[in-house]
Amino acid sequence: MKNLDKVVVITGASSGIGEATAHLLNEHGMTVVLAARRIDKLNEIIASLPDPSHALAIATDVSKSTEVQNLINQTIEKFGKVDVLFNNAGLMPLAPIRDGKVNEWEAMIDINLKGVLYGINAVLPTMEQQHEGLIITTDSVAGHEVATNGAVYAGTKFAVRAIMDGLRKEEIGKGVRTTLISPGDVETDLFNSTSDSKLRDQIQQIEQTAGLKPMDVAEAVLYAIQQPASVGVNEIIMRSPNQEF
Ligand code: NAD
């Protein structure tokens, strides 16, 4: 296994895809900076990593631009650079628009959409200065197709796809690469953010029977990072072969 001397910031690292990615990248010799709101949980994960000496936990709410900027500033202070930002934090409170769950719409827009923008904003000047950097964002198949009861979630994920493609174009010639990863169902805690109990049970059932594993998505992240600076893997769509949507 080739050890990669990279500093990687991972948001939403306290469970699911983010946690699996922290493990896999750390196993490949990378320094991982774990960000989420629960610092205790992040420290527990760090203790279980193959090389905890190459890891740092920073409590971060991605819906607050100052906290995201602090995450990047602290990373640079401690490690002198940031090679990769993995914008991964998200939530998926599914519900029909008719239910008018305004607070949930706002949370999805703040976390899934504005959180990604705050991450890009915080890291871009440094990456341009380095003439090298990779910004990876977890999108979803819901960024490509809209499921019934998933209109607002899909809205945030369609928007994220647009932003990442625009970013790719703006960064041409500046050394910053972009990767959008769009998984189908993945067996994680994401279903818990749906407040409608019937829909929540349905999603959990689908994720458990026809879902990818978080480590499958982590492998896609690793693949994008392992490419040479001359290769941008711009989009990856991945589903379990048992999933239709
Ligand atoms: P998860 O619930 O296990 O992980 C979500 C992570 O985001 C957690 O660490 C959570 O603490 C964090 N988070 C939520 N709000 C936050 C905030 N305000 N600030 C910082 N962190 C916050 O679920 P997951 O499936 O691992 O989700 C990761 C990403 O994958 C999300 O963007 C999600 O939309 C996307 N995704 C998931 C699936 C799936 O089926 N599980 C499919 C496609 C895309």
mmCIF file of all heavy atoms in Angstrom, residues 9-19 21 34-38 42 60-64 68 71 85-92 107-119 136-140 153 156-157 160 190 193:
data_model
loop_
_atom_site.group_PDB
_atom_site.id
_atom_site.type_symbol
_atom_site.label_atom_id
_atom_site.label_comp_id
_atom_site.label_asym_id
_atom_site.label_seq_id
_atom_site.Cartn_x
_atom_site.Cartn_y
_atom_site.Cartn_z
ATOM 1 N N VAL A 9 -9.371 17.255 5.143
ATOM 2 C CA VAL A 9 -10.418 17.704 6.074
ATOM 3 C C VAL A 9 -11.726 17.025 5.670
ATOM 4 O O VAL A 9 -12.120 17.084 4.497
ATOM 5 C CB VAL A 9 -10.587 19.241 6.013
ATOM 6 C CG1 VAL A 9 -11.739 19.691 6.916
ATOM 7 C CG2 VAL A 9 -9.288 19.941 6.404
ATOM 8 N N ILE A 10 -12.380 16.404 6.645
ATOM 9 C CA ILE A 10 -13.625 15.662 6.364
ATOM 10 C C ILE A 10 -14.748 16.234 7.222
ATOM 11 O O ILE A 10 -14.687 16.176 8.456
ATOM 12 C CB ILE A 10 -13.459 14.160 6.705
ATOM 13 C CG1 ILE A 10 -12.286 13.555 5.926
ATOM 14 C CG2 ILE A 10 -14.748 13.396 6.449
ATOM 15 C CD1 ILE A 10 -11.896 12.148 6.392
ATOM 16 N N THR A 11 -15.778 16.780 6.604
ATOM 17 C CA THR A 11 -16.931 17.232 7.397
ATOM 18 C C THR A 11 -17.960 16.096 7.483
ATOM 19 O O THR A 11 -18.006 15.223 6.614
ATOM 20 C CB THR A 11 -17.594 18.502 6.815
ATOM 21 O OG1 THR A 11 -18.290 18.170 5.610
ATOM 22 C CG2 THR A 11 -16.586 19.604 6.558
ATOM 23 N N GLY A 12 -18.746 16.129 8.554
ATOM 24 C CA GLY A 12 -19.692 15.025 8.768
ATOM 25 C C GLY A 12 -18.939 13.741 9.050
ATOM 26 O O GLY A 12 -19.316 12.662 8.595
ATOM 27 N N ALA A 13 -17.854 13.870 9.850
ATOM 28 C CA ALA A 13 -16.966 12.718 10.078
ATOM 29 C C ALA A 13 -17.374 11.888 11.290
ATOM 30 O O ALA A 13 -16.699 10.930 11.627
ATOM 31 C CB ALA A 13 -15.527 13.219 10.244
ATOM 32 N N SER A 14 -18.492 12.248 11.945
ATOM 33 C CA SER A 14 -18.838 11.546 13.183
ATOM 34 C C SER A 14 -19.652 10.277 12.961
ATOM 35 O O SER A 14 -19.974 9.580 13.923
ATOM 36 C CB SER A 14 -19.590 12.489 14.126
ATOM 37 O OG SER A 14 -20.810 12.886 13.535
ATOM 38 N N SER A 15 -19.974 9.968 11.710
ATOM 39 C CA SER A 15 -20.687 8.710 11.434
ATOM 40 C C SER A 15 -20.668 8.420 9.933
ATOM 41 O O SER A 15 -20.128 9.214 9.152
ATOM 42 C CB SER A 15 -22.144 8.789 11.931
ATOM 43 O OG SER A 15 -22.827 9.836 11.276
ATOM 44 N N GLY A 16 -21.244 7.292 9.571
ATOM 45 C CA GLY A 16 -21.511 6.954 8.173
ATOM 46 C C GLY A 16 -20.332 7.103 7.226
ATOM 47 O O GLY A 16 -19.217 6.624 7.492
ATOM 48 N N ILE A 17 -20.569 7.775 6.122
ATOM 49 C CA ILE A 17 -19.583 7.896 5.038
ATOM 50 C C ILE A 17 -18.332 8.645 5.520
ATOM 51 O O ILE A 17 -17.200 8.246 5.216
ATOM 52 C CB ILE A 17 -20.226 8.624 3.829
ATOM 53 C CG1 ILE A 17 -21.336 7.753 3.221
ATOM 54 C CG2 ILE A 17 -19.172 8.989 2.781
ATOM 55 C CD1 ILE A 17 -22.239 8.478 2.223
ATOM 56 N N GLY A 18 -18.534 9.711 6.289
ATOM 57 C CA GLY A 18 -17.397 10.499 6.771
ATOM 58 C C GLY A 18 -16.492 9.688 7.678
ATOM 59 O O GLY A 18 -15.267 9.720 7.552
ATOM 60 N N GLU A 19 -17.103 8.937 8.586
ATOM 61 C CA GLU A 19 -16.321 8.117 9.522
ATOM 62 C C GLU A 19 -15.545 7.033 8.759
ATOM 63 O O GLU A 19 -14.352 6.821 8.997
ATOM 64 C CB GLU A 19 -17.260 7.477 10.560
ATOM 65 C CG GLU A 19 -16.532 6.595 11.540
ATOM 66 C CD GLU A 19 -17.447 5.935 12.583
ATOM 67 O OE1 GLU A 19 -18.661 6.240 12.604
ATOM 68 O OE2 GLU A 19 -16.930 5.118 13.366
ATOM 69 N N THR A 21 -14.586 7.072 5.712
ATOM 70 C CA THR A 21 -13.540 7.709 4.905
ATOM 71 C C THR A 21 -12.338 8.075 5.773
ATOM 72 O O THR A 21 -11.183 7.896 5.360
ATOM 73 C CB THR A 21 -14.107 8.963 4.198
ATOM 74 O OG1 THR A 21 -15.239 8.559 3.424
ATOM 75 C CG2 THR A 21 -13.075 9.607 3.288
ATOM 76 N N LEU A 34 -11.026 15.616 11.394
ATOM 77 C CA LEU A 34 -12.434 15.209 11.482
ATOM 78 C C LEU A 34 -13.276 16.367 12.011
ATOM 79 O O LEU A 34 -13.001 16.883 13.103
ATOM 80 C CB LEU A 34 -12.582 14.009 12.420
ATOM 81 C CG LEU A 34 -12.238 12.626 11.855
ATOM 82 C CD1 LEU A 34 -10.767 12.517 11.514
ATOM 83 C CD2 LEU A 34 -12.622 11.537 12.844
ATOM 84 N N ALA A 35 -14.305 16.712 11.258
ATOM 85 C CA ALA A 35 -15.170 17.816 11.668
ATOM 86 C C ALA A 35 -16.620 17.355 11.743
ATOM 87 O O ALA A 35 -17.115 16.664 10.849
ATOM 88 C CB ALA A 35 -15.053 18.968 10.672
ATOM 89 N N ALA A 36 -17.263 17.722 12.838
ATOM 90 C CA ALA A 36 -18.709 17.536 13.036
ATOM 91 C C ALA A 36 -19.026 18.298 14.320
ATOM 92 O O ALA A 36 -18.132 18.919 14.903
ATOM 93 C CB ALA A 36 -19.084 16.056 13.142
ATOM 94 N N ARG A 37 -20.284 18.256 14.733
ATOM 95 C CA ARG A 37 -20.601 19.054 15.923
ATOM 96 C C ARG A 37 -20.210 18.362 17.224
ATOM 97 O O ARG A 37 -19.896 18.992 18.192
ATOM 98 C CB ARG A 37 -22.104 19.380 15.945
ATOM 99 C CG ARG A 37 -22.508 20.387 14.884
ATOM 100 C CD ARG A 37 -23.970 20.285 14.564
ATOM 101 N NE ARG A 37 -24.296 18.923 14.145
ATOM 102 C CZ ARG A 37 -25.506 18.473 13.892
ATOM 103 N NH1 ARG A 37 -26.537 19.274 14.008
ATOM 104 N NH2 ARG A 37 -25.706 17.225 13.512
ATOM 105 N N ARG A 38 -20.182 17.010 17.217
ATOM 106 C CA ARG A 38 -19.959 16.271 18.476
ATOM 107 C C ARG A 38 -18.481 15.935 18.660
ATOM 108 O O ARG A 38 -17.989 14.942 18.116
ATOM 109 C CB ARG A 38 -20.774 14.974 18.454
ATOM 110 C CG ARG A 38 -22.275 15.176 18.484
ATOM 111 C CD ARG A 38 -23.007 13.861 18.280
ATOM 112 N NE ARG A 38 -22.865 13.333 16.928
ATOM 113 C CZ ARG A 38 -23.222 12.111 16.548
ATOM 114 N NH1 ARG A 38 -23.710 11.263 17.427
ATOM 115 N NH2 ARG A 38 -23.065 11.724 15.296
ATOM 116 N N LEU A 42 -16.116 12.502 17.817
ATOM 117 C CA LEU A 42 -14.963 12.583 16.905
ATOM 118 C C LEU A 42 -13.715 12.034 17.586
ATOM 119 O O LEU A 42 -12.935 11.298 16.965
ATOM 120 C CB LEU A 42 -14.731 14.038 16.468
ATOM 121 C CG LEU A 42 -15.809 14.666 15.584
ATOM 122 C CD1 LEU A 42 -15.479 16.134 15.303
ATOM 123 C CD2 LEU A 42 -15.959 13.911 14.269
ATOM 124 N N THR A 60 -17.242 21.441 14.614
ATOM 125 C CA THR A 60 -17.639 22.382 13.554
ATOM 126 C C THR A 60 -19.097 22.176 13.189
ATOM 127 O O THR A 60 -19.520 21.056 12.895
ATOM 128 C CB THR A 60 -16.803 22.116 12.262
ATOM 129 O OG1 THR A 60 -15.425 22.059 12.602
ATOM 130 C CG2 THR A 60 -17.055 23.193 11.217
ATOM 131 N N ASP A 61 -19.825 23.259 13.188
ATOM 132 C CA ASP A 61 -21.180 23.243 12.634
ATOM 133 C C ASP A 61 -21.059 23.864 11.236
ATOM 134 O O ASP A 61 -20.787 25.066 11.120
ATOM 135 C CB ASP A 61 -22.110 24.064 13.532
ATOM 136 C CG ASP A 61 -23.540 24.091 13.002
ATOM 137 O OD1 ASP A 61 -23.750 23.792 11.806
ATOM 138 O OD2 ASP A 61 -24.443 24.431 13.783
ATOM 139 N N VAL A 62 -21.248 23.057 10.193
ATOM 140 C CA VAL A 62 -21.001 23.571 8.833
ATOM 141 C C VAL A 62 -22.016 24.628 8.394
ATOM 142 O O VAL A 62 -21.814 25.283 7.377
ATOM 143 C CB VAL A 62 -20.940 22.441 7.764
ATOM 144 C CG1 VAL A 62 -19.830 21.464 8.059
ATOM 145 C CG2 VAL A 62 -22.288 21.762 7.595
ATOM 146 N N SER A 63 -23.085 24.782 9.159
ATOM 147 C CA SER A 63 -24.055 25.821 8.790
ATOM 148 C C SER A 63 -23.601 27.207 9.274
ATOM 149 O O SER A 63 -24.286 28.188 9.055
ATOM 150 C CB SER A 63 -25.444 25.491 9.349
ATOM 151 O OG SER A 63 -25.441 25.627 10.749
ATOM 152 N N LYS A 64 -22.437 27.252 9.921
ATOM 153 C CA LYS A 64 -21.900 28.539 10.397
ATOM 154 C C LYS A 64 -20.589 28.818 9.679
ATOM 155 O O LYS A 64 -19.581 28.126 9.897
ATOM 156 C CB LYS A 64 -21.691 28.491 11.906
ATOM 157 C CG LYS A 64 -22.976 28.194 12.665
ATOM 158 C CD LYS A 64 -22.897 28.658 14.118
ATOM 159 C CE LYS A 64 -24.260 28.706 14.762
ATOM 160 N NZ LYS A 64 -24.807 27.383 15.085
ATOM 161 N N VAL A 68 -16.627 27.065 9.894
ATOM 162 C CA VAL A 68 -15.967 26.356 8.783
ATOM 163 C C VAL A 68 -14.621 27.024 8.479
ATOM 164 O O VAL A 68 -13.610 26.341 8.253
ATOM 165 C CB VAL A 68 -16.883 26.316 7.537
ATOM 166 C CG1 VAL A 68 -16.195 25.601 6.394
ATOM 167 C CG2 VAL A 68 -18.205 25.631 7.870
ATOM 168 N N LEU A 71 -12.205 25.918 11.021
ATOM 169 C CA LEU A 71 -11.764 24.538 10.750
ATOM 170 C C LEU A 71 -10.563 24.537 9.792
ATOM 171 O O LEU A 71 -9.562 23.856 10.030
ATOM 172 C CB LEU A 71 -12.953 23.761 10.146
ATOM 173 C CG LEU A 71 -12.681 22.421 9.476
ATOM 174 C CD1 LEU A 71 -12.242 21.384 10.501
ATOM 175 C CD2 LEU A 71 -13.951 21.921 8.748
ATOM 176 N N LEU A 85 -10.345 18.840 0.729
ATOM 177 C CA LEU A 85 -11.525 19.087 1.568
ATOM 178 C C LEU A 85 -12.613 18.129 1.098
ATOM 179 O O LEU A 85 -12.963 18.128 -0.087
ATOM 180 C CB LEU A 85 -12.016 20.540 1.415
ATOM 181 C CG LEU A 85 -13.395 20.807 2.025
ATOM 182 C CD1 LEU A 85 -13.384 20.635 3.546
ATOM 183 C CD2 LEU A 85 -13.900 22.207 1.661
ATOM 184 N N PHE A 86 -13.114 17.320 2.032
ATOM 185 C CA PHE A 86 -14.241 16.437 1.722
ATOM 186 C C PHE A 86 -15.487 17.020 2.396
ATOM 187 O O PHE A 86 -15.684 16.884 3.591
ATOM 188 C CB PHE A 86 -13.945 15.014 2.223
ATOM 189 C CG PHE A 86 -15.025 14.002 1.905
ATOM 190 C CD1 PHE A 86 -15.852 14.131 0.790
ATOM 191 C CD2 PHE A 86 -15.211 12.878 2.712
ATOM 192 C CE1 PHE A 86 -16.840 13.205 0.492
ATOM 193 C CE2 PHE A 86 -16.197 11.938 2.437
ATOM 194 C CZ PHE A 86 -17.008 12.100 1.323
ATOM 195 N N ASN A 87 -16.276 17.725 1.593
ATOM 196 C CA ASN A 87 -17.535 18.333 2.023
ATOM 197 C C ASN A 87 -18.590 17.235 2.082
ATOM 198 O O ASN A 87 -19.175 16.883 1.057
ATOM 199 C CB ASN A 87 -18.005 19.316 0.930
ATOM 200 C CG ASN A 87 -17.467 20.699 1.108
ATOM 201 O OD1 ASN A 87 -17.421 21.232 2.203
ATOM 202 N ND2 ASN A 87 -17.081 21.296 -0.007
ATOM 203 N N ASN A 88 -18.839 16.721 3.253
ATOM 204 C CA ASN A 88 -19.675 15.527 3.308
ATOM 205 C C ASN A 88 -20.866 15.629 4.273
ATOM 206 O O ASN A 88 -21.821 14.869 4.164
ATOM 207 C CB ASN A 88 -18.779 14.339 3.697
ATOM 208 C CG ASN A 88 -19.550 13.102 4.029
ATOM 209 O OD1 ASN A 88 -20.138 12.470 3.149
ATOM 210 N ND2 ASN A 88 -19.602 12.748 5.307
ATOM 211 N N ALA A 89 -20.827 16.607 5.182
ATOM 212 C CA ALA A 89 -21.915 16.714 6.165
ATOM 213 C C ALA A 89 -23.252 16.907 5.446
ATOM 214 O O ALA A 89 -23.319 17.589 4.420
ATOM 215 C CB ALA A 89 -21.660 17.889 7.105
ATOM 216 N N GLY A 90 -24.277 16.298 5.973
ATOM 217 C CA GLY A 90 -25.587 16.471 5.346
ATOM 218 C C GLY A 90 -26.687 15.842 6.162
ATOM 219 O O GLY A 90 -26.431 15.079 7.095
ATOM 220 N N LEU A 91 -27.901 16.181 5.824
ATOM 221 C CA LEU A 91 -29.057 15.505 6.417
ATOM 222 C C LEU A 91 -30.174 15.391 5.377
ATOM 223 O O LEU A 91 -30.141 16.081 4.345
ATOM 224 C CB LEU A 91 -29.526 16.169 7.707
ATOM 225 C CG LEU A 91 -30.238 17.489 7.720
ATOM 226 C CD1 LEU A 91 -30.683 17.819 9.126
ATOM 227 C CD2 LEU A 91 -29.327 18.562 7.220
ATOM 228 N N MET A 92 -31.109 14.479 5.635
ATOM 229 C CA MET A 92 -32.111 14.151 4.618
ATOM 230 C C MET A 92 -33.490 13.973 5.247
ATOM 231 O O MET A 92 -34.045 12.865 5.256
ATOM 232 C CB MET A 92 -31.677 12.864 3.895
ATOM 233 C CG MET A 92 -32.559 12.485 2.727
ATOM 234 S SD MET A 92 -32.076 10.913 1.957
ATOM 235 C CE MET A 92 -32.477 9.720 3.213
ATOM 236 N N ALA A 107 -32.900 23.776 7.411
ATOM 237 C CA ALA A 107 -31.725 23.003 7.855
ATOM 238 C C ALA A 107 -31.014 22.373 6.656
ATOM 239 O O ALA A 107 -29.783 22.406 6.558
ATOM 240 C CB ALA A 107 -32.160 21.929 8.845
ATOM 241 N N MET A 108 -31.791 21.833 5.709
ATOM 242 C CA MET A 108 -31.160 21.205 4.525
ATOM 243 C C MET A 108 -30.424 22.241 3.695
ATOM 244 O O MET A 108 -29.313 21.986 3.202
ATOM 245 C CB MET A 108 -32.220 20.505 3.664
ATOM 246 C CG MET A 108 -32.562 19.130 4.166
ATOM 247 S SD MET A 108 -33.640 18.227 3.032
ATOM 248 C CE MET A 108 -35.236 18.867 3.485
ATOM 249 N N ILE A 109 -31.038 23.403 3.534
ATOM 250 C CA ILE A 109 -30.378 24.459 2.740
ATOM 251 C C ILE A 109 -29.118 24.932 3.474
ATOM 252 O O ILE A 109 -28.058 25.100 2.862
ATOM 253 C CB ILE A 109 -31.367 25.609 2.445
ATOM 254 C CG1 ILE A 109 -32.436 25.112 1.474
ATOM 255 C CG2 ILE A 109 -30.639 26.831 1.880
ATOM 256 C CD1 ILE A 109 -33.664 25.999 1.356
ATOM 257 N N ASP A 110 -29.204 25.083 4.783
ATOM 258 C CA ASP A 110 -28.059 25.576 5.560
ATOM 259 C C ASP A 110 -26.909 24.568 5.581
ATOM 260 O O ASP A 110 -25.741 24.956 5.512
ATOM 261 C CB ASP A 110 -28.477 25.870 7.017
ATOM 262 C CG ASP A 110 -29.287 27.155 7.117
ATOM 263 O OD1 ASP A 110 -29.348 27.903 6.127
ATOM 264 O OD2 ASP A 110 -29.865 27.404 8.190
ATOM 265 N N ILE A 111 -27.222 23.303 5.725
ATOM 266 C CA ILE A 111 -26.168 22.290 5.914
ATOM 267 C C ILE A 111 -25.729 21.698 4.568
ATOM 268 O O ILE A 111 -24.552 21.734 4.216
ATOM 269 C CB ILE A 111 -26.652 21.192 6.889
ATOM 270 C CG1 ILE A 111 -26.865 21.826 8.270
ATOM 271 C CG2 ILE A 111 -25.673 20.030 6.959
ATOM 272 C CD1 ILE A 111 -27.680 21.016 9.237
ATOM 273 N N ASN A 112 -26.697 21.177 3.796
ATOM 274 C CA ASN A 112 -26.329 20.485 2.545
ATOM 275 C C ASN A 112 -25.794 21.450 1.495
ATOM 276 O O ASN A 112 -24.946 21.082 0.686
ATOM 277 C CB ASN A 112 -27.546 19.779 1.928
ATOM 278 C CG ASN A 112 -28.165 18.737 2.844
ATOM 279 O OD1 ASN A 112 -27.714 18.539 3.965
ATOM 280 N ND2 ASN A 112 -29.199 18.072 2.374
ATOM 281 N N LEU A 113 -26.338 22.670 1.483
ATOM 282 C CA LEU A 113 -26.001 23.596 0.401
ATOM 283 C C LEU A 113 -25.040 24.701 0.866
ATOM 284 O O LEU A 113 -23.902 24.799 0.377
ATOM 285 C CB LEU A 113 -27.303 24.189 -0.155
ATOM 286 C CG LEU A 113 -27.197 25.253 -1.226
ATOM 287 C CD1 LEU A 113 -26.304 24.800 -2.368
ATOM 288 C CD2 LEU A 113 -28.583 25.601 -1.756
ATOM 289 N N LYS A 114 -25.472 25.486 1.867
ATOM 290 C CA LYS A 114 -24.595 26.581 2.306
ATOM 291 C C LYS A 114 -23.327 26.021 2.959
ATOM 292 O O LYS A 114 -22.242 26.592 2.812
ATOM 293 C CB LYS A 114 -25.353 27.527 3.249
ATOM 294 C CG LYS A 114 -26.345 28.405 2.474
ATOM 295 C CD LYS A 114 -27.458 28.971 3.331
ATOM 296 C CE LYS A 114 -27.045 30.156 4.142
ATOM 297 N NZ LYS A 114 -28.194 30.737 4.899
ATOM 298 N N GLY A 115 -23.444 24.907 3.655
ATOM 299 C CA GLY A 115 -22.265 24.287 4.282
ATOM 300 C C GLY A 115 -21.191 23.962 3.251
ATOM 301 O O GLY A 115 -19.994 24.160 3.484
ATOM 302 N N VAL A 116 -21.625 23.476 2.087
ATOM 303 C CA VAL A 116 -20.679 23.155 1.008
ATOM 304 C C VAL A 116 -20.018 24.435 0.495
ATOM 305 O O VAL A 116 -18.797 24.499 0.306
ATOM 306 C CB VAL A 116 -21.406 22.400 -0.132
ATOM 307 C CG1 VAL A 116 -20.552 22.327 -1.392
ATOM 308 C CG2 VAL A 116 -21.795 20.996 0.331
ATOM 309 N N LEU A 117 -20.830 25.471 0.305
ATOM 310 C CA LEU A 117 -20.280 26.756 -0.167
ATOM 311 C C LEU A 117 -19.293 27.337 0.838
ATOM 312 O O LEU A 117 -18.242 27.855 0.460
ATOM 313 C CB LEU A 117 -21.423 27.760 -0.377
ATOM 314 C CG LEU A 117 -22.090 27.744 -1.744
ATOM 315 C CD1 LEU A 117 -23.296 28.674 -1.734
ATOM 316 C CD2 LEU A 117 -21.125 28.149 -2.855
ATOM 317 N N TYR A 118 -19.631 27.246 2.126
ATOM 318 C CA TYR A 118 -18.721 27.771 3.154
ATOM 319 C C TYR A 118 -17.387 27.015 3.113
ATOM 320 O O TYR A 118 -16.324 27.617 3.286
ATOM 321 C CB TYR A 118 -19.336 27.636 4.558
ATOM 322 C CG TYR A 118 -20.584 28.452 4.801
ATOM 323 C CD1 TYR A 118 -21.514 28.060 5.755
ATOM 324 C CD2 TYR A 118 -20.831 29.631 4.095
ATOM 325 C CE1 TYR A 118 -22.659 28.810 6.003
ATOM 326 C CE2 TYR A 118 -21.992 30.378 4.333
ATOM 327 C CZ TYR A 118 -22.894 29.951 5.281
ATOM 328 O OH TYR A 118 -24.034 30.683 5.526
ATOM 329 N N GLY A 119 -17.463 25.719 2.891
ATOM 330 C CA GLY A 119 -16.229 24.918 2.814
ATOM 331 C C GLY A 119 -15.366 25.359 1.646
ATOM 332 O O GLY A 119 -14.157 25.591 1.783
ATOM 333 N N ILE A 136 -13.785 17.630 -2.715
ATOM 334 C CA ILE A 136 -14.708 16.512 -2.986
ATOM 335 C C ILE A 136 -16.002 16.804 -2.231
ATOM 336 O O ILE A 136 -15.962 17.240 -1.080
ATOM 337 C CB ILE A 136 -14.115 15.176 -2.479
ATOM 338 C CG1 ILE A 136 -12.733 14.923 -3.084
ATOM 339 C CG2 ILE A 136 -15.056 14.017 -2.796
ATOM 340 C CD1 ILE A 136 -12.023 13.691 -2.512
ATOM 341 N N THR A 137 -17.121 16.580 -2.875
ATOM 342 C CA THR A 137 -18.413 16.805 -2.206
ATOM 343 C C THR A 137 -19.294 15.570 -2.367
ATOM 344 O O THR A 137 -19.370 15.001 -3.462
ATOM 345 C CB THR A 137 -19.110 18.045 -2.810
ATOM 346 O OG1 THR A 137 -18.278 19.184 -2.586
ATOM 347 C CG2 THR A 137 -20.452 18.299 -2.149
ATOM 348 N N THR A 138 -19.935 15.186 -1.268
ATOM 349 C CA THR A 138 -20.902 14.085 -1.372
ATOM 350 C C THR A 138 -22.215 14.657 -1.872
ATOM 351 O O THR A 138 -22.878 15.423 -1.177
ATOM 352 C CB THR A 138 -21.159 13.414 -0.004
ATOM 353 O OG1 THR A 138 -19.920 13.181 0.644
ATOM 354 C CG2 THR A 138 -21.867 12.088 -0.192
ATOM 355 N N ASP A 139 -22.550 14.300 -3.079
ATOM 356 C CA ASP A 139 -23.858 14.675 -3.611
ATOM 357 C C ASP A 139 -24.783 13.485 -3.372
ATOM 358 O O ASP A 139 -24.761 12.892 -2.287
ATOM 359 C CB ASP A 139 -23.710 15.053 -5.093
ATOM 360 C CG ASP A 139 -24.856 15.923 -5.555
ATOM 361 O OD1 ASP A 139 -25.104 16.948 -4.918
ATOM 362 O OD2 ASP A 139 -25.528 15.567 -6.539
ATOM 363 N N SER A 140 -25.519 13.058 -4.372
ATOM 364 C CA SER A 140 -26.453 11.939 -4.218
ATOM 365 C C SER A 140 -27.053 11.656 -5.592
ATOM 366 O O SER A 140 -27.037 12.533 -6.469
ATOM 367 C CB SER A 140 -27.579 12.352 -3.259
ATOM 368 O OG SER A 140 -28.614 11.388 -3.258
ATOM 369 N N TYR A 153 -34.741 17.996 -0.527
ATOM 370 C CA TYR A 153 -33.422 17.341 -0.439
ATOM 371 C C TYR A 153 -32.780 17.335 -1.828
ATOM 372 O O TYR A 153 -31.617 17.719 -1.998
ATOM 373 C CB TYR A 153 -33.597 15.913 0.085
ATOM 374 C CG TYR A 153 -32.304 15.123 0.192
ATOM 375 C CD1 TYR A 153 -31.343 15.448 1.144
ATOM 376 C CD2 TYR A 153 -32.042 14.038 -0.658
ATOM 377 C CE1 TYR A 153 -30.154 14.719 1.251
ATOM 378 C CE2 TYR A 153 -30.870 13.303 -0.549
ATOM 379 C CZ TYR A 153 -29.931 13.652 0.403
ATOM 380 O OH TYR A 153 -28.754 12.922 0.498
ATOM 381 N N THR A 156 -31.431 20.672 -2.872
ATOM 382 C CA THR A 156 -30.094 21.021 -2.346
ATOM 383 C C THR A 156 -29.006 20.249 -3.091
ATOM 384 O O THR A 156 -27.942 20.782 -3.368
ATOM 385 C CB THR A 156 -29.974 20.736 -0.826
ATOM 386 O OG1 THR A 156 -30.134 19.339 -0.561
ATOM 387 C CG2 THR A 156 -30.997 21.528 -0.027
ATOM 388 N N LYS A 157 -29.295 19.009 -3.444
ATOM 389 C CA LYS A 157 -28.263 18.179 -4.083
ATOM 390 C C LYS A 157 -28.089 18.558 -5.571
ATOM 391 O O LYS A 157 -26.987 18.486 -6.095
ATOM 392 C CB LYS A 157 -28.589 16.691 -3.907
ATOM 393 C CG LYS A 157 -28.534 16.215 -2.447
ATOM 394 C CD LYS A 157 -27.127 16.308 -1.861
ATOM 395 C CE LYS A 157 -27.017 15.665 -0.483
ATOM 396 N NZ LYS A 157 -25.655 15.767 0.094
ATOM 397 N N VAL A 160 -25.939 21.631 -5.387
ATOM 398 C CA VAL A 160 -24.545 21.301 -5.086
ATOM 399 C C VAL A 160 -23.829 20.819 -6.365
ATOM 400 O O VAL A 160 -22.684 21.169 -6.623
ATOM 401 C CB VAL A 160 -24.487 20.221 -3.969
ATOM 402 C CG1 VAL A 160 -23.147 19.511 -3.949
ATOM 403 C CG2 VAL A 160 -24.761 20.873 -2.622
ATOM 404 N N LEU A 190 -28.373 8.219 8.182
ATOM 405 C CA LEU A 190 -29.011 9.368 7.541
ATOM 406 C C LEU A 190 -30.538 9.351 7.655
ATOM 407 O O LEU A 190 -31.170 10.396 7.787
ATOM 408 C CB LEU A 190 -28.594 9.432 6.066
ATOM 409 C CG LEU A 190 -28.888 10.738 5.347
ATOM 410 C CD1 LEU A 190 -28.019 11.871 5.881
ATOM 411 C CD2 LEU A 190 -28.672 10.607 3.836
ATOM 412 N N SER A 193 -32.690 11.454 10.185
ATOM 413 C CA SER A 193 -33.039 12.873 10.096
ATOM 414 C C SER A 193 -34.439 13.091 9.507
ATOM 415 O O SER A 193 -34.929 14.208 9.454
ATOM 416 C CB SER A 193 -31.974 13.642 9.283
ATOM 417 O OG SER A 193 -31.829 13.097 7.996
#
